[in-house]
Amino acid sequence: MADVEQNAAVPDGSSNESDAVNGTVGRFVSSAEGTALAYGSLLLMALLPIFFGALRSVGCSKNKNASDMPETITSRDAARFPIIASCTLFGLYLFFKIFSQEYINLLLSMYFFVLGILALSHTMSPFMCRVFPANVPNKQYQLLFTQGSGESKEEIVNYEFDTKDLICLGISSVVGVWYVLKKHWIANNLFGLAFALNGVELLHLNNVSTGCILLGGLFVYDVFWVFGTNVMVTVAKSFEAPIKLVFPQDLLEKGLDASNFAMLGLGDIVIPGIFIALLLRFDVSLKKNTRTYFYTSFLAYIFGLGLTIFVMHTFKHAQPALLYLVPACIGFPVLLALFKGELTEMFSFMCAALGIEFSLTRGLIKKKLLESCCSYIFKLTS
């Protein structure tokens, strides 16, 4: 897991080899106000994709299309995931040891440039639908590729989009170019927030037991790779991609050119977030017009992340956030269900495969790329 860290330098060309990475103390000593602002901003940025991603995941369940159902995370997937994540992490570690970081990060920048544009465009789409002027014509377009002719003619790509989609893609492309050229922390955060929100929305657990297996396995994984080896630290120092949220602790002193960052890995948002989103769908299934389990787990996340930041700040060392988030996010809702006598209902709740409504002729490419993006981010940040 890319964990909560302080005094971390975000690669921007000049700070790539800074000594202030992964919780080590840099040359700049931030003020108490700057540190509090950085931690508070990270906490707020972590809560936004969880809250809105969970709400959008409920909308997904209401708009599901039986002809184009996305896969969910099953118990078998959850049990295997820590092993897959470990192999991915160690593979990246070997890559950075053997090959030049410059070429690897250039390839990754291009990869995340494409996926970031799609993720940010999808995130902006509901907002664009609300603010798009009614007097501006919303023209429809279609991108069609076929193979063969006559009766053997087969559709390869059939993607429909409109003017609003083009505007979202245009704005997202500007952010993408900004990130590739400057690696600025604001562009990094825009992509990171989009990845996190899409992850919470598009990645679904099929039941609470699966969530417990997944979080429990990654709890052990996180503690081992952070405290047991230097692999996580090495990868975090070398990897240049928007797989973390950052906020400068020297913003008050240096403004937007600040370079002394606190950071939070996207995995610390997405992994608890998909469990919290599942509990919101469980609340909806109870049909009691309450969101008790959602708000309980949401407050538990705030408590766990706050505790992570407190311990990290006290001991001046990067912390595996899931060490604190997993017991809080699982323990609080389970205790509440036990108190309310709904523990059996909670663990018997089965969530069908859920996803965004995509017809066979609209959004298929975008959906597949977004799912690929979310799964890849999920592995890299776990």
Side-chain angles (χ1 to χ4, degrees):
M1 179 68 56
D3 309 289
V4 175
E5 302 170 355
Q6 65 173 354
N7 297 319
V10 175
D12 59 358
S14 61
S15 58
N16 188 41
E17 299 299 329
S18 171
D19 294 332
V21 180
N22 300 300
T24 59
V25 178
R27 296 188 182 95
F28 178 83
V29 180
S30 58
S31 64
E33 294 83 1
T35 301
L37 177 62
Y39 292 159
S41 298
L42 283 179
L43 180 60
L44 178 62
M45 286 192 292
L47 296 178
L48 289 176
I50 291 178
F51 185 83
F52 290 105
L55 292 179
R56 289 173 65 160
S57 76
V58 174
C60 289
S61 64
K62 294 179 180 179
N63 296 325
K64 60 186 178 181
N65 187 340
S67 66
D68 194 21
M69 299 289 284
E71 296 183 1
T72 58
I73 300 174
T74 64
S75 298
R76 176 178 293 182
D77 298 329
R80 292 184 302 185
F81 195 83
I83 300 175
I84 297 173
S86 296
C87 293
T88 303
L89 179 67
F90 191 67
L92 285 171
Y93 173 78
L94 294 179
F95 261 87
F96 283 117
K97 286 292 185 180
I98 298 173
F99 301 103
S100 170
Q101 295 182 16
E102 178 182 356
Y103 297 111
I104 297 174
N105 282 317
L106 178 61
L107 179 63
L108 291 172
S109 294
M110 294 299 102
Y111 180 77
F112 281 100
F113 170 76
V114 175
L115 293 182
I117 289 175
L118 290 174
L120 188 58
S121 176
H122 177 257
T123 302
M124 294 170 53
S125 182
F127 175 76
M128 183 60 65
C129 291
R130 293 187 178 93
V131 302
F132 191 78
N135 59 342
V136 177
N138 185 30
K139 297 182 179 180
Q140 302 293 320
Y141 303 92
Q142 183 179 28
L143 184 63
L144 177 63
F145 288 94
T146 61
Q147 177 179 320
S149 61
E151 295 182 357
S152 62
K153 191 174 184 179
E154 180 183 359
E155 290 186 358
I156 304 299
V157 174
N158 192 344
Y159 178 50
E160 295 181 356
F161 54 97
D162 53 30
T163 305
K164 291 180 288 187
D165 294 327
L166 289 177
I167 294 175
C168 291
L169 282 173
I171 297 174
S172 302
S173 298
V174 171
V175 176
V177 172
W178 184 21
Y179 174 76
V180 169
L181 296 179
K182 299 296 184 181
K183 295 295 193 297
H184 197 276
W185 61 273
I186 295 180
N188 173 90
N189 286 348
L190 289 174
F191 274 171
L193 288 170
F195 285 142
L197 191 148
N198 280 289
V200 175
E201 179 185 359
L202 297 177
L203 299 174
H204 297 279
L205 298 164
N206 63 352
N207 56 50
V208 175
S209 298
T210 299
C212 293
I213 294 172
L214 178 66
L215 268 68
L218 290 176
F219 171 89
V220 176
Y221 157 91
D222 208 17
V223 173
F224 171 76
W225 287 110
V226 172
F227 289 143
T229 71
N230 70 334
V231 172
M232 185 77 75
V233 172
T234 302
V235 173
K237 289 172 63 177
S238 306
F239 201 84
E240 295 182 17
I243 60 170
K244 55 186 176 291
L245 299 179
V246 299
F247 199 89
Q249 300 182 74
D250 54 347
L251 179 67
L252 300 177
E253 292 81 8
K254 298 183 179 180
L256 297 180
D257 294 326
S259 58
N260 192 59
F261 294 91
M263 68 172 60
L264 175 66
L266 296 189
D268 298 324
I269 303 172
V270 175
I271 293 170
I274 60 176
F275 186 75
I276 294 172
L278 175 65
L279 292 179
L280 177 58
R281 297 194 292 274
F282 172 62
D283 276 323
V284 173
S285 73
L286 294 176
K287 298 179 180 180
K288 296 182 178 180
N289 294 322
T290 61
R291 301 293 183 264
T292 308
Y293 292 100
F294 171 67
Y295 289 124
T296 298
S297 57
F298 195 74
L299 292 174
Y301 181 86
I302 296 175
F303 169 78
L305 188 56
L307 182 60
T308 306
I309 293 173
F310 172 77
V311 174
M312 183 273 299
H313 182 71
T314 301
F315 292 97
K316 308 298 181 185
H317 190 279
Q319 295 296 310
L322 291 186
L323 175 64
Y324 310 94
L325 290 173
V326 169
C329 291
I330 293 179
F332 283 41
V334 168
L335 290 176
L336 176 63
L338 188 62
F339 176 77
K340 297 179 65 175
E342 297 176 340
L343 190 62
T344 302
E345 291 181 74
M346 173 186 282
F347 279 89
S348 62
F349 169 67
M350 296 294 293
C351 184
L354 303 176
I356 300 174
E357 182 177 5
F358 282 90
S359 68
L360 293 178
T361 60
R362 177 176 173 84
L364 184 58
I365 295 177
K366 184 177 178 181
K367 171 181 174 290
K368 293 303 180 183
L369 284 173
L370 283 173
E371 286 180 351
S372 172
C373 164
C374 293
S375 298
Y376 191 62
I377 296 294
F378 193 35
K379 292 175 183 177
L380 288 178
T381 59
S382 299

